[in-house]
Amino acid sequence: PVRPKLPKKTQGRLEKETVKITASPNPKETAAKKYAAARKAKWFEPVLKTLGEMSGPGEPCMLCDANESTDVEHYRPQAIFPQLALVWGNLLWACTNCNRHKGNQFPPDTKPGARLINPTEENAWDFFLIDRFGNLIPKWRPETNAQD
């Protein structure tokens, strides 16, 4: 999947705010404030509109594809990667359940486990299949002799 471009003005604003976050002596605090302000700002509306369009008809969650999206999710959590809080390529459209369940977890960076699939860059069906009983299961990878 190709991530669509944002309007130049919106992309420029995201980049400007990212520079401020990165240059800040306290990036986590600055990222939290800048992101909270952006979510309320008119200039951020094209981000929401484009994420909704990317998720498809009915704007389902990009992570579970089952619930209506209500949240901007940070693929790499803002609390762990504050410099990515307003980077277009790090933003997803997600339901509240997925957003809260994932929280600040990002294996293997924050805890043991496999890397999370980025639904805007990868096809989940490359990693999973549905068995004859309707269960979603990971694919077996002969090259690693393990499930993916």
Side-chain angles (χ1 to χ4, degrees), residues 7-70:
K8 285 185 181 184
K9 191 173 182 178
T10 305
Q11 183 61 45
R13 185 67 185 264
L14 288 173
E15 290 169 4
K16 180 181 169 186
E17 298 300 321
T18 297
V19 167
K20 291 177 183 176
I21 292 167
T22 304
S24 168
N26 188 344
K28 284 186 182 184
E29 183 180 315
T30 303
K33 287 179 182 176
K34 294 280 184 192
Y35 176 71
R39 285 291 277 129
K40 297 174 187 171
K42 187 154 184 69
W43 69 263
F44 197 76
E45 288 175 7
V47 172
L48 302 175
K49 181 179 183 264
T50 306
L51 285 172
E53 290 168 356
M54 285 173 60
S55 69
E59 298 187 11
C61 175
M62 290 178 166
L63 299 173
C64 72
D65 199 37
N67 298 312
E68 181 181 359
S69 296
T70 55

Side-chain angles (χ1 to χ4, degrees), residues 56-115:
E59 298 187 11
C61 175
M62 290 178 166
L63 299 173
C64 72
D65 199 37
N67 298 312
E68 181 181 359
S69 296
T70 55
D71 299 348
V72 175
E73 161 67 358
H74 294 85
Y75 173 65
R76 288 180 174 82
Q78 174 181 308
I80 309 300
F81 304 94
Q83 70 280 12
L84 300 177
L86 290 170
V87 170
W88 173 231
N90 192 48
L91 303 177
L92 303 174
W93 200 220
C95 67
T96 302
N97 290 336
C98 285
N99 195 6
R100 289 202 177 125
H101 179 72
K102 180 178 159 269
N104 293 330
Q105 301 174 54
F106 194 76
D109 294 318
T110 61
K111 68 177 198 170
R115 176 185 61 79

